[in-house]
Amino acid sequence: MRSQHETDIFATLIENYSMAGEYLLEESSSVITKTGLKDITWENLRIKETEMYGMRILGFPALQKETFDNWISINSQPSLLSSWINNPKVNLLSRTEYHNLFNQYDHRWSMFYTLTRPGFSDDFSQALIQLTAFCPITPQYGNLLYMERTSNKWETKLDYVLFNQ
């Protein structure tokens, strides 16, 4: 059951973030556990709303503990994402290919993405996943996405900005 939900979440993210034709590291990335501002913990993410450095930050008040724990656990070791991503329009790259293309002048406007595997609640009604995007020319960003399943569709309900440079 988990693998079908992973496939659905990856398909949703590929569509919503226009990853078609772009590059995705075929190996799941590690969880970013620290930002420049505070530790990413279940307790910190559940804060409904806070203000830091003049920015209003919305948390994930409905985030279940098992969702967060599952996300941390499933990403303790890297995994190949090719088992769950079956979109021929996404260029899955090995770590060596990824870094090689990233540093080539001809790819200076390309987007290079990394994903963690999603963590799920016990009933598969919510998920937590990390998405990062890098472009050699433009600003980079990383988001922690809180997703909920409504009927058979996954939707991003909230995101927590990990970095934006």
Side-chain angles (χ1 to χ4, degrees), residues 89-152:
K89 296 179 181 177
V90 175
N91 299 302
L92 289 170
L93 301 175
S94 69
R95 188 167 296 281
T96 302
E97 293 170 318
Y98 185 89
H99 290 296
N100 184 32
L101 285 179
F102 186 86
N103 292 315
Q104 288 183 11
Y105 182 77
D106 292 345
H107 294 281
R108 67 188 175 278
W109 292 105
S110 299
M111 289 300 293
F112 293 84
Y113 292 93
T114 66
L115 294 168
T116 60
R117 289 183 62 193
F120 291 105
S121 60
D122 289 340
D123 63 356
F124 292 95
S125 65
Q126 63 176 228
L128 193 62
I129 189 166
Q130 176 184 305
L131 166 101
T132 61
F134 304 95
C135 177
I137 298 293
T138 63
Q140 323 306 312
Y141 65 88
N143 290 331
L144 186 56
L145 307 171
Y146 171 77
M147 302 178 78
E148 289 182 355
R149 185 173 54 121
T150 54
S151 63
N152 290 328

Side-chain angles (χ1 to χ4, degrees), residues 12-162:
T12 299
L13 292 177
I14 288 168
E15 182 181 326
N16 291 350
Y17 286 89
S18 304
M19 288 185 204
E22 300 296 351
Y23 301 100
L24 176 62
L25 182 62
E26 71 178 354
E27 189 177 275
S28 64
S29 65
S30 59
V31 171
I32 295 176
T33 55
K34 293 206 184 258
T35 67
L37 302 175
K38 48 169 50 173
D39 292 340
I40 294 177
T41 63
W42 177 71
E43 292 83 4
N44 289 343
L45 289 175
R46 285 188 35 94
I47 295 171
K48 185 174 182 174
E49 185 177 323
T50 188
E51 192 168 317
M52 284 189 283
Y53 304 103
M55 297 182 300
R56 191 180 89 170
I57 297 174
L58 299 175
F60 307 148
L63 180 65
Q64 297 172 22
K65 178 87 165 100
E66 66 261 12
T67 306
F68 180 82
D69 290 344
N70 183 260
W71 177 64
I72 294 294
S73 173
I74 198 76
N75 288 293
S76 64
Q77 295 291 324
S79 302
L80 288 177
L81 300 177
S82 53
S83 302
W84 303 285
I85 297 176
N86 40 356
N87 186 326
K89 296 179 181 177
V90 175
N91 299 302
L92 289 170
L93 301 175
S94 69
R95 188 167 296 281
T96 302
E97 293 170 318
Y98 185 89
H99 290 296
N100 184 32
L101 285 179
F102 186 86
N103 292 315
Q104 288 183 11
Y105 182 77
D106 292 345
H107 294 281
R108 67 188 175 278
W109 292 105
S110 299
M111 289 300 293
F112 293 84
Y113 292 93
T114 66
L115 294 168
T116 60
R117 289 183 62 193
F120 291 105
S121 60
D122 289 340
D123 63 356
F124 292 95
S125 65
Q126 63 176 228
L128 193 62
I129 189 166
Q130 176 184 305
L131 166 101
T132 61
F134 304 95
C135 177
I137 298 293
T138 63
Q140 323 306 312
Y141 65 88
N143 290 331
L144 186 56
L145 307 171
Y146 171 77
M147 302 178 78
E148 289 182 355
R149 185 173 54 121
T150 54
S151 63
N152 290 328
K153 185 178 172 188
W154 285 95
E155 294 179 12
T156 301
K157 294 296 184 179
L158 293 165
D159 65 356
Y160 186 91
V161 177
L162 299 171

